[in-house]
Amino acid sequence: MVAIEFTSRQKQIVELVKNNQPITSEQLAAKLNMTRAALRPDLTILTMSDILEARPKVGYFYSGKSVNNIGSDFIKSIKVAEIKSSPVVVDEATTVYDAIVTLFLMNVGTIFVQNNGALTGVVSRKDFIKIAIGNNDIRSMPVGVIMTRMPNVIYIKDTDSAYDAVERLIAHDIDSLPVVEPYKDEDGKQLFKITGKVSKTRIAKLLYDMCKQ
Ligand code: ADP
């Protein structure tokens, strides 16, 4: 995981370039009371991040990109395939009781449901609580009866970005998205294979990885 964290010196360089552009590395080094060689790694990082633009024989320009935008560019550049975690999947015929046991054993908040290998639904803590507090026989009731069913399941694909995942989690006020791979059955019906999950917890971990030193 690449952590994007600019040092106070790098931020100082950006400010100097903003106020004095174009400015050469010699001029920058003099202002910072450093040698050009000592300054080079910082200038390399800032030009590679597209924050500064180096024009030969002219000097450095500020690209207009805020140091703070880098985090959002980073989130948008990360693909779901890079961050997805293992999904917990049960069959539609699994009883509500067994699904609740699975929820505890696997320490998750959401379980994905499949039928013949294709995603058919999602069942979460609230769905289980709702059915458990009613007068229901959860030992015989299949999970397929209580789940949120396709086509109402919100999903995401490997090639979407981490930002797309956050957008969907927030827009639909849900904790977890199945990552799917579309395929067609022999009748040409559109189906989805479950290949992973992206949860709010995973997004929090991504932010933590980005920010930790
Ligand atoms: P919790 O029940 O733990 O608060 P959620 O807020 O994710 O979890 O779930 C709230 C409701 O949204 C539940 O009825 C659940 O079935 C449904 N739900 C959860 N994830 C999805 C999803 N990816 N697509 C559609 N509905 C979902």
Side-chain angles (χ1 to χ4, degrees), residues 18-39:
K18 264 189 211 173
N19 298 327
N20 301 282
Q21 59 187 344
I23 182 167
T24 64
S25 57
E26 287 91 340
Q27 290 165 330
L28 272 171
K31 281 186 188 293
L32 289 162
N33 214 1
M34 292 169 67
T35 64
R36 267 181 78 198
L39 191 60

Side-chain angles (χ1 to χ4, degrees), residues 61-196:
F61 285 87
Y62 172 57
S63 70
K65 204 170 193 173
S66 152
V67 171
N68 299 325
N69 281 345
I70 298 302
S72 83
D73 286 356
F74 184 62
I75 297 259
K76 285 176 183 163
S77 75
I78 292 195
K79 297 286 174 222
V80 161
E82 300 169 57
I83 58 162
K84 68 181 178 183
S85 43
S86 301
V88 175
V89 182
V90 299
D91 241 66
E92 254 188 53
T94 308
T95 64
V96 171
Y97 179 89
D98 284 344
I100 292 174
V101 171
T102 305
L103 187 95
F104 276 101
L105 288 179
M106 303 305 286
N107 193 24
V108 290
T110 310
I111 293 180
F112 303 137
V113 185
Q114 67 178 12
N115 193 16
N116 293 324
L119 170 70
T120 54
V122 172
V123 60
S124 76
R125 280 176 282 222
K126 248 175 285 179
D127 301 321
F128 287 128
I129 291 170
K130 214 187 302 168
I131 212 71
I133 61 174
N135 196 15
N136 298 292
D137 182 7
I138 61 168
R139 285 178 190 264
S140 65
M141 183 184 281
V143 81
V145 174
I146 68 161
M147 68 188 188
T148 299
R149 184 172 281 278
M150 284 294 261
N152 297 323
V153 174
I154 313 298
Y155 55 79
I156 193 134
K157 296 186 192 138
D158 269 348
T159 47
D160 289 321
S161 71
Y163 182 76
D164 295 326
V166 174
E167 233 176 14
R168 259 164 248 188
L169 290 166
I170 299 294
H172 298 277
D173 196 17
I174 46 179
D175 284 355
S176 185
L177 298 168
V179 182
V180 300
E181 204 178 288
Y183 68 98
K184 296 233 161 95
D185 69 4
E186 52 276 21
D187 303 328
K189 191 175 175 218
Q190 182 66 71
L191 296 172
F192 300 93
K193 182 175 181 274
I194 307 162
T195 69

